[in-house]
């Protein structure tokens, strides 16, 4: 069996209905298969599972045999220390991470009919995996108007509410500090998906209060962030400055192995993004107040005008951090008009361009702004991926006319 077929079985939940357990007999519940990682590192990130009732969030690695773990030298790679479950066809030996910790393994159970699996796999190869997950793709190709503007507006609001909930959870961690929460959120989004998790860890491990003590010195800000990221290499002056600041604040740096560089363009390298983040902190005193007090989109864009930061990157920061914070803060103050204005600004930002959005375009959907892309991303991630068709306006319409499609 090729490993890619195991990936397909895992990602498309063909294991559903089968009891899963670890090789030592503990029950495994798969809550979320995670996001397929096409860069260096474990196969799936942000997965959620339960092992004997205890919930784990982390990465999944998939191999045909357990011994492939050793053959690929993952036991020597710290990037694989975050693996919470090793999914295999055959567990031929126990495996350990670089800290010599035993990793739980699961011999995945799924339909045993090879012809059936081969047919499914070949069908999936004929279309993008994202398109394959949109259960109503065939119907939408024939009738794109099934997905109405009204439903998209509802989805956009749901998207904002989800981000608002994330902000509220972060405010709990930061003890109600909106400024500190914004700092962590901005850091995460400076990772631009590929390095979002290590960037967030960098912000959590480098308190904003320490950076503010040196906010008037760009060199010190950069040294502190680069050092905390574990990415100071041959710059002796910066390394010396970081050693001073690390001792001063009693800090511990991240391991450099948590950062991903494979397949990244130079403008997306973690080193460049950290330099840009330092520059933003340096030139933007009272950034939170400026964001909250600025209603004009052009002025908001200007706040993030740092060296080598392209318009599309700024748009991503506005979409994922700035506008959700304006929305959440406005609702905290019961200012619904400002909250609505924050959502309305999405309509003036260029649409995102990624694999999922391209699939919606194939299905005939008009995508003219970030309001459209955010709505469609929410639809895909919260309905299509989880087969929640009956709770989707499109799926419900199709079900009304042909209930047997959902049998």
């Amino acid at each position: 069996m090729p490993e890619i077929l195991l990936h397909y079985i895992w990602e498309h939940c063909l294991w559903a209905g089968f009891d899963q357990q670890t090789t030592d007999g503990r029950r495994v519940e798969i809550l979320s298969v995670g996001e397929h990682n096409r860069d260096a590192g474990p196969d799936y990130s942000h997965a959620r599972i339960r092992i004997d009732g205890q919930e784990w969030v982390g990465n999944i690695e998939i191999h045909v045999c357990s011994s492939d773990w050793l053959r690929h030298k993952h036991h020597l790679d710290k990037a694989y220390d975050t693996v919470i479950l090793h999914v295999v066809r055959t567990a031929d030996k126990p495996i350990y991470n670089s800290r010599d910790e035993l990793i739980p393994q699961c011999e995945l159970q799924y339909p045993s009919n090879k012809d059936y699996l081969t047919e499914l796999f070949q069908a999936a190869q004929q279309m993008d995996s994202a398109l394959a997950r949109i259960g109503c793709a065939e119907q939408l190709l024939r009738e794109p108007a099934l997905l109405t503007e009204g439903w998209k507006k509802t989805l956009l609001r749901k998207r904002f509410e989800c981000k608002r909930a994330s902000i509220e959870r972060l405010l709990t961690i930061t003890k109600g500090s909106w400024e500190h929460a914004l700092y962590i959120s901005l850091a995460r989004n400076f990772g631009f998906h590929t390095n979002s998790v290590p960037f967030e860890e960098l912000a959590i491990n480098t308190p904003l209060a320490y950076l503010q003590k040196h906010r008037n010195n760009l060199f010190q800000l950069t040294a502190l962030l680069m050092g905390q990221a574990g990415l100071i290499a041959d710059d002796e002056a910066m390394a010396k400055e970081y050693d001073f600041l690390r001792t001063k604040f009693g800090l511990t740096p991240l391991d450099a192995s948590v950062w991903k560089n494979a397949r990244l363009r130079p403008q997306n390298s973690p080193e460049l993004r950290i330099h840009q983040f330092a520059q933003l902190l340096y030139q933007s005193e009272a950034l939170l107040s400026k964001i909250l007090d600025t209603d004009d989109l052009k002025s908001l864009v200007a706040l993030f005008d740092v060296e080598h930061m392209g318009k599309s990157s700024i748009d991503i920061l506005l979409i994922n951090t700035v506008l959700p914070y304006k929305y959440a803060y406005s609702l905290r103050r019961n200012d619904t008009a400002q909250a609505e204005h924050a959502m309305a600004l999405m309509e003036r930002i260029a649409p995102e361009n990624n694999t999922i959005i391209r699939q919606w375009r194939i299905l005939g959907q008009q995508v003219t702004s970030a309001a459209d892309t955010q709505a469609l991303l929410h639809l895909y991630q919260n309905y299509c991926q989880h087969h929640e068709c009956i709770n989707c306006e499109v799926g419900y319409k199709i079900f009304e006319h042909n209930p047997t499609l959902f049998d």
Side-chain angles (χ1 to χ4, degrees):
M1 169 184 287
E3 184 178 302
I4 194 170
L5 184 52
L6 268 180
H7 281 244
Y8 181 80
I9 292 168
W10 173 261
E11 194 165 334
H12 290 78
C13 306
L14 300 186
W15 40 260
F18 291 79
D19 291 333
Q20 309 294 338
Q21 63 179 21
T22 61
T23 51
D24 58 0
R26 292 176 291 164
R27 184 187 180 198
V28 175
E29 299 171 78
I30 304 165
L31 307 178
S32 171
V33 299
E35 301 170 9
H36 193 184
N37 173 32
R38 302 183 187 277
D39 295 298
D43 293 320
Y44 291 86
S45 59
H46 312 309
R48 290 175 56 236
I49 63 172
R50 285 196 193 103
I51 299 179
D52 262 3
Q54 182 175 355
E55 188 166 326
W56 297 84
V57 178
N59 299 332
I60 303 292
E61 180 69 7
I62 297 177
H63 288 124
V64 175
C65 299
S66 300
S67 50
D68 291 338
W69 179 275
L70 299 175
R71 188 164 60 85
H72 296 159
K73 302 187 184 304
H74 296 333
H75 62 298
L76 303 176
D77 191 340
K78 292 181 180 179
Y80 288 80
D81 288 352
T82 54
V83 169
I84 57 175
L85 185 68
H86 190 215
V87 175
V88 297
R89 179 70 188 98
T90 304
D92 55 352
K93 66 189 315 171
I95 54 112
Y96 298 82
N97 61 25
S98 70
R99 298 193 293 255
D100 205 31
E101 298 168 336
L102 183 68
I103 297 177
Q105 298 194 87
C106 172
E107 287 187 338
L108 195 63
Q109 303 300 307
Y110 50 84
S112 58
N113 187 321
K114 292 184 179 179
D115 291 337
Y116 165 72
L117 291 173
T118 301
E119 182 181 341
L120 281 176
F121 179 66
Q122 289 174 344
Q125 290 293 85
Q126 295 174 5
M127 62 178 72
D128 188 275
S129 61
L131 182 57
R133 288 189 196 171
I134 300 174
C136 59
E138 186 178 339
Q139 289 82 7
L140 280 174
L141 277 169
R142 292 197 304 264
E143 192 178 350
L146 280 169
L147 207 172
T148 66
E149 288 299 316
W151 180 227
K152 284 166 65 175
K153 287 182 179 179
T154 298
L155 289 166
L156 177 62
R157 187 174 299 278
K158 288 176 179 287
R159 184 77 163 178
F160 267 87
E161 281 299 317
C162 283
K163 292 184 178 183
R164 178 190 176 195
S166 297
I167 292 169
E168 292 290 347
R169 287 193 292 271
L170 194 52
L171 285 169
T172 301
I173 296 173
T174 62
K175 299 180 180 179
S177 172
W178 284 83
E179 188 176 20
H180 197 179
L182 175 67
Y183 158 68
I184 295 173
S185 294
L186 275 174
R188 180 180 179 86
N189 284 302
F190 257 81
F192 293 90
H193 186 70
T194 301
N195 280 305
S196 60
V197 173
F199 233 117
E200 183 178 61
E201 291 179 2
L202 171 62
I204 292 172
N205 291 339
T206 314
L208 178 62
Y210 297 166
L211 291 165
Q212 288 175 328
K213 292 179 182 294
H214 298 276
R215 68 161 309 276
N216 294 320
N217 188 316
L218 180 58
F219 179 72
Q220 288 183 319
L221 282 175
T222 306
L224 187 52
L225 288 169
M226 288 291 289
Q228 279 295 93
L231 294 176
I232 289 182
D234 302 324
D235 191 326
E236 292 185 8
M238 188 169 287
K240 183 177 179 181
E241 185 65 30
Y242 171 65
D243 284 340
F244 165 75
L245 294 170
R246 179 179 62 176
T247 302
K248 176 181 178 180
F249 295 121
L251 297 171
T252 302
L254 298 178
D255 193 292
S257 66
V258 302
W259 300 95
K260 297 176 183 176
N261 278 291
R263 302 183 185 177
L264 285 180
R265 296 176 180 177
Q267 63 265 33
N268 288 325
S269 71
E271 291 86 355
L272 177 59
R273 291 304 188 193
I274 291 171
H275 276 273
Q276 291 173 332
F277 190 54
Q279 187 179 345
L280 176 66
L281 296 175
Y282 172 70
Q283 69 186 39
S284 302
E285 186 176 6
L287 181 60
L288 175 65
S289 296
K290 291 177 181 176
I291 287 173
L292 296 177
D293 293 340
T294 302
D295 293 329
D296 175 64
L297 185 62
K298 186 176 180 180
S299 299
L300 284 173
V301 170
L303 293 176
F304 296 88
D305 184 17
V306 299
E307 189 175 5
H308 302 303
M309 179 73 79
K311 178 63 165 57
S312 61
S313 295
I314 294 175
D315 283 349
I316 290 173
L317 294 175
L318 295 179
I319 291 167
N320 292 319
T321 302
V322 175
L323 296 186
Y325 263 80
K326 287 177 71 67
Y327 176 85
Y329 188 80
S330 297
L331 289 182
R332 178 69 76 89
R333 298 181 63 190
N334 296 316
D335 190 342
T336 55
Q338 277 297 318
E340 293 296 319
H341 178 69
M343 281 203 302
L345 286 176
M346 281 286 188
E347 297 176 3
R348 297 175 53 196
I349 299 176
E352 299 153 273
N353 180 24
N354 54 48
T355 301
I356 297 171
I357 297 304
R358 288 193 289 272
Q359 304 318 308
W360 286 115
R361 289 182 184 274
I362 290 172
L363 296 179
Q365 296 306 306
Q366 295 295 314
V367 181
T368 61
S369 71
D372 292 325
T373 55
Q374 284 290 289
L376 292 171
L377 285 170
H378 189 83
L379 176 58
Y380 176 76
Q381 292 169 352
N382 294 275
Y383 292 84
C384 305
Q385 271 194 309
H386 302 288
H387 310 293
E388 292 286 336
C389 304
I390 198 64
N391 294 318
C392 167
E393 182 183 280
V394 178
Y396 188 76
K397 287 178 183 176
I398 296 170
F399 174 78
E400 278 189 311
H401 289 90
N402 193 350
T404 60
L405 287 175
F406 291 84
D407 289 346

